[in-house]
Amino acid sequence: NIHNYFLYFIKKMINKKYLKLLRSKDRKYGKNFIYNQIGKNIIDSLDILKVPFNNILQLGINDNLVINFLKEKFPSCSITSADIDLSAFIKKTDQNLIEIDLENFQIRDEKFDLIFSNFFCQLTSNFEKLIENIYQSLNSNGFFIATIPSTENIYQLVNSMYETDNILYGGMYQRINPTLDTNDIFRIFKLYNFDAPLINTNNFTIEYSVFKKLLDDIRFLNLSYIGNDKRAKFENKKYFIHLENQFRKKYFKESFNLDINYNTICAWKK
């Protein structure tokens, strides 16, 4: 069973300490172009709904666009933001913040009309358990929406890294976190009796004139591979020279183009 293998692989290999460290780092909150662009898709999906949301939970703090939209649309709403580590945000926001364990998050005595998440839910070691917890945290007629990377996300950079690994190390290191395909996500939604599940695949392309700017933008996403088998040493200047050459050789077309591919998943609790 591919799904069971995926869960076994992640649960066995995930490095929680490294993940917490990543979530403590600066992600250019409010100014991260990639997170903001993806967040606009959540806003577009919520904007067409004619349902009032009074109690709202944000899972993962990567942007402030969606929260600002919700505050404007529902001025009296209550919003709680949750993340694995809050140290990067305590002084940057007046939001109600809670620190959670993504593997088993539970918010006592509180349920939500809306739970949303922007590029965060894929960091769990047990996606099925996460969806179960989300279901239990929603009120009846509550709505869940999230964006997660698709299997083709930033493929130009990932493939170039594998080529570079082969040249320098004679083999490839794992560079990205595994992600569930859409069939598995649908199956999990149905398992927990979500109503009207929907998955939309989205993408946009960013054109860079300077390769270093591309790398900087990806670094500020803080989505590095979080497995225990992650390469122990940081890559040196030589690696990135080879990486740029490999990217240029295969994907350069007047600019360094990078495709951001992601899925927007959503469903209702009956």
Side-chain angles (χ1 to χ4, degrees):
N1 184 298
I2 293 175
H3 171 66
N4 288 339
Y5 173 78
F6 171 86
L7 294 182
Y8 168 79
F9 173 79
I10 290 294
K11 199 158 191 177
K12 180 181 178 183
M13 302 297 288
I14 195 169
N15 186 327
K16 285 190 174 184
K17 288 184 179 179
Y18 181 65
L19 175 57
K20 188 173 177 65
L21 176 64
L22 281 179
R23 299 305 295 177
S24 72
K25 292 183 176 181
D26 178 31
R27 293 188 287 281
K28 290 187 176 180
Y29 178 65
K31 300 178 181 179
N32 189 307
F33 171 77
I34 295 176
Y35 279 141
N36 287 347
Q37 284 297 111
I38 299 169
K40 288 176 183 178
N41 189 268
I42 295 177
I43 291 173
D44 290 342
S45 298
L46 293 174
D47 195 33
I48 63 175
L49 300 179
K50 305 301 180 184
V51 179
F53 297 121
N54 298 312
N55 203 19
I56 300 169
L57 174 65
Q58 175 183 217
L59 275 181
I61 307 171
N62 286 329
D63 73 278
N64 60 2
L65 284 184
V66 181
I67 280 185
N68 290 340
F69 163 79
L70 291 168
K71 285 180 177 178
E72 183 175 342
K73 188 169 185 177
F74 308 108
S76 61
C77 73
S78 172
I79 303 177
T80 300
S81 295
D83 209 306
I84 297 167
D85 187 278
L86 300 174
S87 57
F89 301 99
I90 291 175
K91 296 181 180 180
K92 293 184 179 180
T93 178
D94 59 357
Q95 299 172 32
N96 180 26
L97 301 174
I98 57 172
E99 194 164 287
I100 59 167
D101 177 358
L102 190 58
E103 311 312 309
N104 193 30
F105 89 88
Q106 292 180 337
I107 301 173
R108 294 180 180 178
D109 305 321
E110 192 166 13
K111 289 187 180 292
F112 301 92
D113 307 310
L114 169 66
I115 297 177
F116 73 92
S117 181
N118 187 5
F119 254 47
F120 180 73
C121 290
Q122 76 279 0
L123 299 177
T124 180
S125 66
N126 193 331
F127 191 81
E128 187 171 309
K129 180 65 175 176
L130 174 63
I131 294 300
E132 179 185 9
N133 288 335
I134 288 171
Y135 185 85
Q136 293 173 349
S137 298
L138 283 169
N139 285 318
S140 295
N141 300 315
F143 188 60
F144 167 61
I145 183 169
T147 56
I148 58 174
S150 75
T151 55
E152 295 298 313
N153 188 43
I154 61 170
Y155 72 90
Q156 299 100 324
L157 180 61
V158 173
N159 290 344
S160 298
M161 293 183 80
Y162 290 150
E163 292 288 343
T164 304
D165 286 352
N166 264 324
I167 293 170
L168 296 181
Y169 308 130
M172 296 181 292
Y173 286 93
Q174 183 69 32
R175 295 295 183 177
I176 57 172
N177 300 301
T179 186
L180 285 173
D181 66 26
T182 55
N183 290 329
D184 281 324
I185 296 171
F186 271 124
R187 186 191 66 79
I188 295 171
F189 275 148
K190 291 178 180 178
L191 179 65
Y192 291 102
N193 205 31
F194 273 94
D195 190 35
L198 182 65
I199 302 176
N200 287 322
T201 300
N202 312 274
N203 74 287
F204 58 92
T205 301
I206 309 175
E207 298 179 358
Y208 294 93
S209 58
V210 178
F211 188 68
K212 184 180 181 301
K213 180 63 169 63
L214 180 155
L215 293 179
D216 287 343
D217 281 358
I218 295 302
R219 285 193 187 102
F220 275 108
L221 294 179
N222 289 341
L223 291 177
S224 303
Y225 178 58
I226 54 177
N228 280 323
D229 58 340
K230 177 182 176 65
R231 177 170 160 78
K233 296 181 180 179
F234 290 108
E235 306 299 351
N236 57 27
K237 184 177 181 180
K238 177 182 177 182
Y239 182 90
F240 292 106
I241 292 173
H242 277 278
L243 178 60
E244 179 174 350
N245 289 338
Q246 290 304 311
F247 196 112
R248 184 184 295 274
K249 185 185 301 183
K250 195 166 184 178
Y251 300 110
F252 186 86
K253 297 178 181 178
E254 298 184 349
S255 60
F256 298 98
N257 295 338
L258 187 68
D259 287 356
I260 307 299
N261 297 289
Y262 63 98
N263 293 318
T264 302
I265 63 176
C266 60
W268 295 87
K269 178 178 180 178
K270 295 181 180 177

